[in-house]
Amino acid sequence: PVLVKTTTKRVQRGLAQSEKLLWEFREHPLSMWKWMLGGIVLLLVVLRIASTGDAKQAITLFVIGAAIIAIRLWFWDRHRLCLTDKRLMSVRGIFSTTYRTMPLSKMTDQTAHMPAISTILAWLRVIKTQFATVIVESAGQDQALSNVVFIPHGHVFNRVLMDLVLD
């Protein structure tokens, strides 16, 4: 099944000519929870400093914090996880690109885990889609993509991956 119609140029460069891209996605936005929490704490600190009358220090801290969070969001936006008909691939980087892959033919065991928090937040409609962690094992080797976290639509990803491996 073809699930992707378009792809980014960085992903396209990493594909072999005979390879078909089935799915390209970013990590679930909730993967940024630590950065979101850090941003809230930073905002509270800036407000506290501003309330003491030191506006220049508050503005400086706010600008530095906002720049750090913006750069982290840029990294998150540029990281892609891809599933092709032959391998699982991770594309990372902004200025230099790193391609980590795991051939599907080397897979011996796969586990998909949907955390309870994902199910609860999706049920409460706090998040749009559930996320999952997929643990992929191969015959006696430690693979580059053995533990893939925050996969959106984890149950669909698991089904497509199993269809490819068992086919």
Side-chain angles (χ1 to χ4, degrees), residues 140-159:
Q141 298 177 5
D142 187 25
Q143 292 291 329
L145 291 172
S146 61
N147 192 12
V148 184
V149 296
F150 288 107
I151 297 175
H153 303 288
H155 57 287
V156 177
F157 178 82
N158 184 46
R159 190 176 327 122

Side-chain angles (χ1 to χ4, degrees), residues 3 34 40 45 57 63 89 101 127 129-130 135 148 153:
L3 302 172
K34 292 177 186 174
I40 291 169
V45 169
Q57 186 180 9
V63 168
M89 180 171 66
T101 65
I127 58 175
T129 62
Q130 282 185 291
I135 300 165
V148 184
H153 303 288

Side-chain angles (χ1 to χ4, degrees), residues 7-13 24-28 31-32 69-82 89-100:
T7 181
T8 60
K9 289 179 184 177
R10 292 173 342 116
V11 169
Q12 197 65 38
R13 282 186 287 241
E24 175 184 345
F25 55 93
R26 288 185 199 101
E27 290 177 334
H28 194 279
S31 67
M32 297 289 293
I69 292 171
I71 290 168
R72 181 61 183 103
L73 280 170
W74 191 22
F75 273 100
W76 172 80
D77 182 57
R78 301 285 291 176
H79 178 210
R80 294 289 194 273
L81 295 164
C82 307
M89 180 171 66
S90 169
V91 181
R92 283 188 179 265
I94 292 179
F95 301 112
S96 64
T97 307
T98 303
Y99 296 92
R100 294 176 16 197

